[in-house]
Amino acid sequence: MPDEPPPLAAALQCSVDVFTAQEIAGWVRDPAAPDRRVELELLLDDVPMARVVAANYRPDLEAAGIGDGRHGFSIRPVHALMPGTLASVRLRDTATGHELIEGMGRVIHRAGGFDAGVGRLLSGLVENSARRARTAGELAPVVASLRRALAMAEAAQAGLPERAAAHGAHDASAPLSLPETVPEVSVIIPAHNQWAVTHACLTSLIAQMPRASFEVVLVDDASTDETRDAALSGNIRVLRQKANLGFIGACNAGAAAARGRVLLFLNNDTIVTPGWLDEMLATLAPGIGVVGAALLNDDGTLQEAGGIIWREADAWSYGRNEDPDDPRYRFLRDADYVSGAALMIPAALFRELGGFDAHYAPAYYEDVDLCFRVRAAGQRVVVQPAARIIHLEGASHGRDIERGVKRHQVLNQARLRERWASTLAGHAETGRNPEAEADRAAGPRALFIDEATPTPDRDAGSQASVQHMRLLQGLGYRVTFAPSEFQEEAGAYTRALERRGIQCLHAPWRHSLEEALLRMPAPPEVIYLYRYGSARRHLALARRLAPQARVVFSVCDLHFLRLEREAALEGDALLAAQAAVIRQEELSLIAAADATVVHSPEEAALLARLLPRARVHVVTWPVTPNPTTQPFLERRGTCFLGGFAHAPNVDAVLWMGRALRPLLDGLPLTIYGSGPTPEVLAEGHGDIRVAGFVPELAPALHRHRSAVAPLRYGAGIKGKVLDSLAHGLPCVMTAVAAEGLGLPEELRWLLAEDAAAMAEKLHRLETDAGWNARLSEAGLSYIRARFGEQAVRAQMRAALG
């Protein structure tokens, strides 16, 4: 350290965009020294824990004129550095001591609730203390601590209903209103008294406005408290009942008055969270009749992720009091029933089935019976844990099942058992293997392993990875995803898979593939190893721990072939030697697998020559056409698409800068791709613009008249070409880029052997609107014919035997 610290910068330009226990991220720049990359020090509870240089490229910064855009930073996972569950956080410039944001704040990481594991840990600590003790006095501190903890827990437990009801009691007289719109969804809330609770629920609905239009039908079930005089307006409509109808009668009355095509029954003792309604509505696809949400307790633990009905018709809330982030509970799946506390159903289906059955009046088991009837009608009943709703259980009717409305819980169990006896005969006895029973509707199981969680908006390999998981689902498989090397979840990418019904295993819940296989509720029928790295690490393990499983090795592209071509292009003897080693390993894995999947017919033909006895199948991936609606005159220029973690893309861009740029004559070329490397950015590209990563392809690609793919080496099918053609852009490409596509004659015009031919074709596509439109339609027709869902699913079915 210098004797005298450098003078503080007058101010750092900065922003902290993400501030959680999982990640702290943002950007920082020193305007007094614009060329300096600021090194940040993370302090937790004033203890230095990590350093990071703010040098990540962010195209939004460059677009905003903030330096060269290379000022971003990310620190994750923060909780791995935390000394406990709570920590104060500071970020400072290590060179100047200047803090980004004075007194930044605190982060909380709750690894889990008081689950069985915590209980065992506590019991073990007490047991160890008891074993070591020699006198009663030695155990006195332990007993005293436990008594204090028990008193605190009992006091908190007793106060939960009152504290929960108080959420909205700060001003239960405040008027509430929703904008008047034609509703897509009717949220039906039955209420009898408990106005403070109902007010809190309505307030949360207004605070968490969804994208979907909705109305609230509040059924005042003959209340005698402030509910009668509530000031409600707009799309909050009140349906007042002269006599108390009970839950079933009130819900059916609300449904009869509803205007939406979708009904959502919501208890008045609920608090909704961001995205709740949109998540449920997006899940209500054809073939799904009922959608439920994950219900949370007031303390954030899980109350229910769907329900199990056992053979005696007793109901279990699956995952009760567990952590809602446990992968067992966090993915879309079928359930025996979902609670009427938050139940979505198409209005037409609800009316067709006659609504909630008065056989169970006034309440309890009516939601279970409805779910059974929906399933009998051929529709699925699912729970979408991406939608989370806090349910203040017992706030409306208490918890005593021997008095009041709750006593019907026992009576109606018997009614359900009698009505659905033949169905329930196939259910397990109470409490027997709940995890397997919760997955009763699951078909055969597939464990899908990729080198990391797929990022389909960043690279074509990830697009294919996600689509192959979807293909497995389409063939009836329950898909569980595991990364080859277990790490923390991948944020939005993990959540996207879970929304699709793909269970995702990750740390801290699982720490290895061996653990994942041993703890699966049932052995997998298929283990799908995607990419060379996954197969090299885990094929032998799969054979040992799941000998009954069919092991499929999907190469993505032949690793050795890509390296051989790169070595030949660069004249690199060392790389050629490395390719020879990988060639031997990859061919051995292909020979050992029950089936090998390639995307390209050329690769299949190569393997047929090298390994005649290998079981090789060509399986591409589905591609959905998404042509632009913008007229030709409103679009301009060409574009290149590709992630820069992939060496062939870096080489292609450098080649364009050297060989193609002088021939463009003002034709603009925009480069889209995740993680542009310094090498690419440093090259003098003139009018070629490196736009960087774009989260959605369509808005970017639809600005252009064509695309270009000047790849000089590589293997497999090139996703950039498929994406371009699917978005209506004729793509001028090299023979390497076109390999494996089997382009029809008309599209073969797009092939170019050198920079001059490529420039000539790009200029014609830029200036000849008729020719451009003709090739655009030819490309879309080709995508529909070769990469449609049904055609590719048939390929996957053949590969699975």
Side-chain angles (χ1 to χ4, degrees):
M1 296 293 292
D3 294 333
E4 294 184 7
L8 293 179
L12 289 174
Q13 290 181 305
C14 64
S15 174
V16 177
D17 306 318
V18 179
F19 187 75
T20 69
Q22 283 69 46
E23 180 181 19
I24 296 176
W27 62 272
V28 58
R29 177 174 179 265
D30 185 353
D35 295 330
R36 178 172 76 93
R37 302 300 176 195
V38 177
E39 183 183 57
L40 295 173
E41 188 172 48
L42 172 71
L43 296 93
L44 299 177
D45 292 336
D46 294 324
V47 177
M49 297 298 295
R51 289 189 176 191
V52 63
V53 177
N56 296 346
Y57 175 72
R58 286 182 40 169
D60 58 327
L61 299 182
E62 186 178 33
I66 300 174
D68 59 3
R70 295 177 57 224
H71 306 291
F73 70 90
S74 173
I75 304 171
R76 71 185 310 271
V78 179
H79 60 75
L81 306 172
M82 291 170 58
T85 59
L86 174 68
S88 64
V89 178
R90 293 164 55 209
L91 279 173
R92 68 185 178 195
D93 182 351
T94 58
T96 66
H98 194 102
E99 292 198 15
L100 260 65
I101 300 174
E102 192 71 24
M104 180 176 288
R106 295 186 176 189
V107 292
I108 299 174
H109 176 64
R110 182 179 56 77
F114 193 95
D115 57 14
V118 176
R120 287 193 297 271
L121 175 62
L122 179 60
S123 298
L125 291 173
V126 173
E127 184 180 354
N128 288 338
S129 298
R131 284 177 178 173
R132 290 196 305 269
R134 293 293 179 265
T135 66
E138 291 181 45
L139 282 178
V142 176
V143 174
S145 295
L146 290 174
R147 282 176 176 163
R148 283 196 301 271
L150 180 60
M152 290 170 57
E154 288 178 337
Q157 185 182 47
L160 277 177
E162 291 77 12
R163 197 162 70 245
H167 285 329
H170 58 280
D171 185 9
S173 64
L176 299 173
S177 180
L178 281 172
E180 292 193 25
T181 59
V182 176
E184 183 175 9
V185 180
S186 293
V187 179
I188 299 164
I189 303 177
H192 175 69
N193 295 329
Q194 302 291 337
W195 171 241
V197 174
T198 305
H199 186 274
C201 176
L202 294 172
T203 301
S204 74
L205 290 174
I206 295 169
Q208 307 296 347
M209 287 293 289
R211 293 187 299 273
S213 61
F214 76 105
E215 68 172 352
V216 171
V217 180
L218 177 63
V219 185
D220 175 7
D221 198 17
S223 297
T224 58
D225 68 351
E226 300 97 318
T227 306
R228 297 177 303 175
D229 306 313
L232 305 171
S233 62
N235 260 23
I236 304 179
R237 299 190 292 128
V238 182
L239 194 64
R240 306 216 182 263
Q241 305 301 312
K242 294 180 179 179
N244 186 275
L245 302 178
F247 182 83
I248 292 175
C251 285
N252 286 340
R259 298 180 293 160
R261 71 170 185 87
V262 173
L263 307 179
L264 198 158
F265 297 96
L266 188 69
N267 273 19
N268 69 324
D269 55 353
T270 57
I271 304 293
V272 302
T273 67
W276 71 286
L277 180 57
D278 292 322
E279 294 284 5
M280 295 179 75
L281 189 60
T283 305
L284 196 65
I288 293 178
V290 165
V291 178
L295 300 181
L296 305 183
N297 295 313
D298 188 36
D299 64 356
T301 57
L302 186 63
Q303 185 179 109
E304 175 183 308
I308 300 172
I309 298 295
W310 302 98
R311 186 174 301 171
E312 294 300 314
D314 43 337
W316 268 33
S317 299
Y318 185 54
R320 193 174 189 88
N321 297 329
E322 299 279 1
D323 192 313
D325 287 329
D326 187 321
R328 290 178 295 171
Y329 313 120
R330 217 177 68 167
F331 66 102
L332 173 73
R333 60 175 187 80
D334 290 80
D336 283 346
Y337 77 97
V338 299
S339 170
L343 185 153
M344 175 179 279
I345 184 171
L349 178 60
F350 185 77
R351 289 161 186 155
E352 177 187 330
L353 295 175
F356 288 120
D357 195 335
H359 180 63
Y360 300 93
Y364 294 106
Y365 276 88
E366 75 289 330
D367 46 7
V368 178
D369 180 79
L370 177 65
C371 290
F372 274 51
R373 286 186 285 138
V374 165
R375 200 160 28 246
Q379 300 284 300
R380 294 172 61 195
V381 174
V382 303
V383 58
Q384 175 54 277
R388 294 184 171 187
I389 296 173
I390 300 167
H391 181 212
L392 312 174
E393 191 177 35
S396 296
H397 298 298
R399 303 185 184 214
D400 188 345
I401 63 172
E402 295 184 0
R403 65 180 64 186
V405 176
K406 290 287 285 186
R407 66 188 177 88
H408 291 277
Q409 196 167 327
V410 176
L411 298 173
N412 286 345
Q413 177 183 335
R415 292 187 175 113
L416 186 93
R417 183 171 60 242
E418 181 181 359
R419 172 175 284 186
W420 295 98
S422 59
T423 300
L424 293 173
H427 292 208
E429 295 177 0
T430 303
R432 178 173 291 180
N433 197 351
E435 194 169 347
E437 194 68 3
D439 269 355
R440 188 188 305 104
R445 298 171 191 276
L447 178 61
F448 192 103
I449 303 161
D450 199 349
E451 292 180 0
T453 303
T455 53
D457 57 349
R458 294 176 179 268
D459 66 278
S462 289
Q463 289 182 32
S465 178
V466 170
Q467 292 298 332
H468 277 207
M469 283 188 259
R470 285 189 59 250
L471 290 171
L472 289 168
Q473 287 182 299
L475 293 172
Y477 285 86
R478 158 63 60 78
V479 179
T480 297
F481 170 78
S484 182
E485 184 171 341
F486 275 60
Q487 298 174 336
E488 295 278 334
E489 64 164 291
Y493 296 108
T494 298
R495 301 298 171 94
L497 294 178
E498 291 170 334
R499 284 187 183 91
R500 295 175 183 267
I502 297 168
Q503 183 183 32
C504 296
L505 304 180
H506 51 79
W509 308 100
R510 298 289 185 272
H511 298 90
S512 67
L513 185 64
E514 184 172 13
E515 181 189 2
L517 275 167
L518 291 173
R519 293 181 62 180
M520 289 185 74
E525 282 81 1
V526 169
I527 296 180
Y528 200 99
L529 300 164
Y530 192 77
R531 294 189 237 243
Y532 161 72
S534 299
R536 181 171 59 87
R537 292 189 61 184
H538 299 304
L539 193 148
L541 179 69
R543 288 290 192 209
R544 178 167 60 86
L545 294 183
Q548 79 295 331
R550 181 175 179 82
V551 176
V552 179
F553 173 25
S554 182
V555 304
C556 185
D557 59 16
L558 284 172
H559 200 55
F560 76 82
L561 182 60
R562 175 160 43 88
L563 289 178
E564 286 177 350
R565 289 172 171 176
E566 182 181 3
L569 183 66
E570 301 295 336
D572 189 329
L574 186 62
L575 187 59
Q578 180 186 354
V581 172
I582 291 177
R583 178 189 181 104
Q584 184 65 34
E585 290 181 345
E586 200 164 8
L587 292 177
S588 297
L589 293 168
I590 291 168
D594 293 314
T596 296
V597 166
V598 296
H599 298 323
S600 162
E602 278 75 3
E603 290 184 343
L606 173 62
L607 292 177
R609 295 194 300 272
L610 297 176
L611 295 171
R613 300 180 67 179
R615 298 158 293 277
V616 179
H617 301 265
V618 177
V619 183
T620 55
W621 64 90
V623 180
T624 303
N626 185 15
T628 181
T629 58
Q630 294 188 49
F632 182 81
L633 293 177
E634 295 180 11
R635 295 180 280 129
R636 188 163 182 259
T638 191
C639 62
F640 172 86
L641 178 67
F644 289 93
H646 194 51
N649 291 334
V650 176
D651 175 79
V653 170
L654 293 173
W655 179 85
M656 284 192 291
R658 291 190 297 267
L660 185 61
R661 180 177 58 83
L663 306 176
L664 291 178
D665 294 332
L667 190 154
L669 168 59
T670 303
I671 297 170
Y672 299 105
S674 58
T677 66
E679 182 183 16
V680 171
L681 292 174
E683 189 85 9
H685 285 169
D687 292 334
I688 296 179
R689 174 174 171 260
V690 181
F693 170 70
V694 288
E696 294 185 44
L697 284 182
L701 298 189
H702 287 170
R703 302 184 188 122
H704 303 291
R705 294 178 178 177
S706 66
V708 61
L711 297 177
R712 301 197 299 164
Y713 67 91
I717 285 181
K718 312 307 182 294
K720 59 176 55 56
V721 176
L722 299 184
D723 282 332
S724 299
L725 297 179
H727 285 82
L729 296 184
C731 183
V732 179
M733 68 194 93
T734 59
V736 170
E739 185 179 70
L741 293 176
L743 293 173
E745 186 61 34
E746 189 168 27
L747 290 180
R748 293 186 64 80
W749 178 89
L750 294 167
L751 295 175
E753 297 180 0
D754 53 34
M758 189 165 286
E760 180 182 351
K761 292 174 188 287
L762 288 172
H763 278 290
R764 181 173 181 186
L765 292 171
E766 185 72 11
T767 56
D768 189 336
W771 184 243
N772 187 302
R774 177 177 172 180
L775 288 180
S776 173
E777 186 51 47
L780 290 166
S781 298
Y782 164 77
I783 292 293
R784 294 186 189 101
R786 285 287 301 276
F787 297 91
E789 180 84 24
Q790 295 303 318
V792 181
R793 186 178 294 175
Q795 296 172 353
M796 179 64 81
R797 184 182 290 109
L800 297 177

